[in-house]
Amino acid sequence: MWQQRQLKEGINRSAWIDRLLPQLIADNHLRTQALRFIDAVPMLNDDKTLVRHFKEYFGEVDPGRLPALISWGIRRISLYSIPGFMAPVIRAAVKGVAHRFIGGETVAEIVDSVSRLQQSGIHTSLDLLGEETVSEKEAFAYQQAYLDLIQQLARQGFDDLNLSLKLSSLYSQITPVDTDGAVAILSERLMPICDAAMDAGISLCLDMEQYDYKAIIFRVFKHLAMQPSYRQWQGFGVVLQAYLKESDEDLTELLEWVEQRGVPVSVRLVRGAYWDMETVMARQQGWSVPVWQTKAETDACYERCLKRLFASPLIYPAVATHNIRSLACAVVLADQTQRSPDSYEFQMLYGMSDELKGLVTERGLKLRLYMPYGELLPGIAYLVRRLLENTSDQSILPVLESADVERVLAPPQVGENRRSEFEAEFINHPLHRFTQQSERENFAAALRSVEQNLDKTYPLLLTGHLTIEEAFLESFNPAKPDEIVGRVVRAGEDDAEVALQRAVDAQRDWGRKRFSERADLLQAAASKLIEHQDEFAAWEVKEAGKGWQEANADVAEAIDFLNYYAKTARRFDTVEQPDMPGEINTHEYLPLGVGVILPPWNFPLAIPVGMVAAAIVCGNSVVLKPASETPIVAWHLCKLLQEIGMPEGVVNYLPGSGAVIGEAMVRDPRTNFVAFTGSKEVGLHLLNVVTGLSESQRQIKKVIAEMGGKNAIIIDQDADLDEVVKGVIESAFGYQGQKCSACSRVICVEGIHDLFVARLVDAVESIRIGDPALPGVTMGPVISDAAKQRIVDKLDACELTASCVSKVELPASLRGHYLPPMIFSDVLEDSPLAQQELFAPVVAVLKAKNFAEAIDIANDSDYGLTGGVYSRSPDNLRLAKQKFSVGNLYLNRKITRANVNRQPFGGFRLSGTGFKAGGPDYLLQFLRARNITENSMRKGFSPESV
Ligand SMILES: NC(=O)c1ccc[n+]([C@@H]2O[C@H](COP(=O)([O-])OP(=O)(O)OC[C@H]3O[C@@H](n4cnc5c(N)ncnc54)[C@H](O)[C@@H]3O)[C@@H](O)[C@H]2O)c1
Ligand SMILES: N[C@@H](CCC=O)C(=O)O
């Protein structure tokens, strides 16, 4: 066993970076600021910006807690205003930290580092650093970079060299939704690398990445390892992450599989480096958290896996750890299983725990260092991960510091210090993660079932009334215009008359029920919708041209609206009102009466559900006139409401022309309110219509109108371009840009424009366009031929002032209403491209001299719905919060997909009139408040005062 003395000595030999780490562990705020600052450095190319950020980040930390070097820097900056003085010092310090963890920037440096290590008997696994792959061009560049590296290393004749490879770098469109597609493409792209590595005698290990890609990585590994050309290759390996709850199961599958292969593979056992991300992301999405929540559980899993790896003669275990107990366990297991010293190895990270490495090599054990290589500054994401790992409260370092052998070697105490599960008052219905095969199969089955039920005719749901069903509204699949999704009765003005009267009749009883009774029905509808969620989503794929994830998200949002409005409505049953002796005050909420619901087609379930649910839970009855493009999804919704026992006449389904029956109902004196979501033009028109009183009208009509957007994302010069490109692609081209929240303007602060546009253009060319019924497709058709024509006409007019810089060719085989994603650059602020809502996969890129000007440009719009900022400057983020005038502002994330309750949704200026959908005040719009005050005093006697 290792001795206490050796531990202490090791710690005392640490360099200056080791002195910094404990300070970062001790002070959370300092740690956050330091990591955030380091993360931004690669983009801070000019001295002034670099020094400004240094001051912004560390100026916020209590001066007494600043490490000496940083404190000195802050003082210098205050003394001398010349950025050229401090900037080189700051860069050198950051590079110094990076050098600590990164083996070299060039192949020559790497060769040097590998040789030096080899002379001391230490082996290497190289990891190629770089930006995230956001385009296929970048994916192929990575593939070439791996091949070049192997070729150059082969010449050096290193003994036992290993290459670690991240599969996500080889395919920009990798997604669990299309696991099969990703496995096929990645296998093909990996093969030349395997061939080259095998020829060069270099072993290859597939790194494990985030949980989303785990199944894909294992499948690629197993698939290739079984191919005749690689089946005898023992230099092929994969990683198992002990922090994943599924690791025991994955290992069982791996061990069974390797029996079939019959030839050993190597398995690197790690704890896992994305704990924070996996935990936060799963909690945000409502998924079960895939990683153990305590270090002890991870440690215990590590030990279980270690034991099983050592027990299999077909596994070459690579014990990747800096944990002394794990090292000791491996040594004991090797003894027990009588492994020869070359039949397993230890792996540690380059730049960390040198003293531990010494302890391993001194015992004659085989050690390999995981050594990243690449430019220091772009490799900063790796550096931040390492620093995070070194400074987290779950890390091994604080334990080492104590130099307490008993504690260091104690077995993991599972069950202790369990972190409490995150609890929220309202939980959003989780989206499918599509990582499980069953999720993908169920969705595909729902699509098949819907396909069996296309081309049907749906009756009006006005039971009890004989409608003459002679005119029909046909609904077509926008991806296959000759495919009829279904046909519904095209209701006429007579039907509208009947529907309104039914609503009036039903409202009397419905309006008298308690809020909680109505809320129960909403929750019953939510439960039923959950049962049929894939089926509803499948109808959306067919009728609205939504991809799997978009359709799934729309259904989940509908479920959220039902549950959320049910929950927020219950409070109206008991309203507290201040009383005075001698006076009884009551405040109560009453329904408005009868409403007309006019939704758009782009969220064919969530938006009608949201408006209908809010209206009816408040005691109103409604006529729902669905958008003409998506009447079938709405029909299924109304059928579902009927099935859960919604009283007749409370929700009346009435498909037909908006301009004819929609407007007729808006004008009808029996209508008390209109809930409209749609274009600015129609919304403003309806607002005008209701200002005119009709003869028998005795109530002012309320119009709740949610309208369009011309939403901007501002990109500051320090923004993280990996994040920006992904965020803009999703915000601008998700569902073909047909979201009111979509990004249609990008405003680049000087300096970042060219870099951003170049990467965006490449990324856009990599988007998979096609029939959204296919899981790998991320862009489908626009909603209709008319919409396509309208967009093309508007663009023809716009092209006079700007040029399209993306050149995406649509596949010739596509028959639907497709448009390519388009990027226009050098767009002028007041041009139609920058001012009009196109509702299309089109983005206009504008330039601003500085951040303040970018905000002015963003605010210069009739609309004020959503807006986004990508910046790593604390000052600029503050400025955005103060001045960016939109209803929903998103910082450093995409600007679409607001969550009910967490991001109540609705805009400023001509984007809307109302309180925010999915927020606490939304229901108030569907209610009238009445106050009653009773004088309770009789002849000087007041019951309350007695
Ligand atoms: N702010 C939001 O929350 C939000 C959400 C989704 C969509 N939108 C906006 O919706 C628009 C796209 O949807 P759309 O094309 O369906 O909008 P639209 O304005 O054409 O139609 C919306 C609804 O109004 C009906 N309608 C049309 N003319 C009418 C009239 N004269 N009288 C009564 N009803 C009438 C339509 O039949 C449809 O049901 C975009 O502008 C988008 O930004 C806004
Ligand atoms: N609520 C949706 C937008 C609705 C408009 O089309 C979002 O946040 O993306």
Side-chain angles (χ1 to χ4, degrees), residues 557 602-603 607 739-741 890 896-898 905:
E557 191 177 6
N602 68 334
F603 285 83
I607 293 182
K739 299 185 187 183
C740 57
S741 52
Y890 297 96
T896 50
R897 205 170 281 174
F905 188 77

Side-chain angles (χ1 to χ4, degrees), residues 557 561 600 602-603 607 677 707 738-742 839 865-866 888 890 893 895-899 903 905:
E557 191 177 6
F561 277 132
N602 68 334
F603 285 83
I607 293 182
T677 305
M707 297 173 281
Q738 303 173 113
K739 299 185 187 183
C740 57
S741 52
F839 222 53
L865 188 49
T866 66
N888 284 66
Y890 297 96
R893 56 152 276 178
I895 64 171
T896 50
R897 205 170 281 174
N899 286 289
Q903 289 96 25
F905 188 77

Side-chain angles (χ1 to χ4, degrees), residues 599-602 607 625 658 663 676-679 682 707-708 740 837 839:
W601 47 265
N602 68 334
I607 293 182
K625 190 219 73 66
E663 189 158 333
F676 166 85
T677 305
S679 61
V682 176
M707 297 173 281
C740 57
E837 185 190 44
F839 222 53

Side-chain angles (χ1 to χ4, degrees), residues 243-259:
Y243 71 2
L244 287 180
K245 295 173 183 168
E246 290 172 4
S247 282
D248 295 284
E249 243 171 72
D250 290 336
L251 182 52
T252 304
E253 282 174 21
L254 201 60
L255 292 174
E256 282 168 10
W257 165 84
V258 79
E259 289 289 331

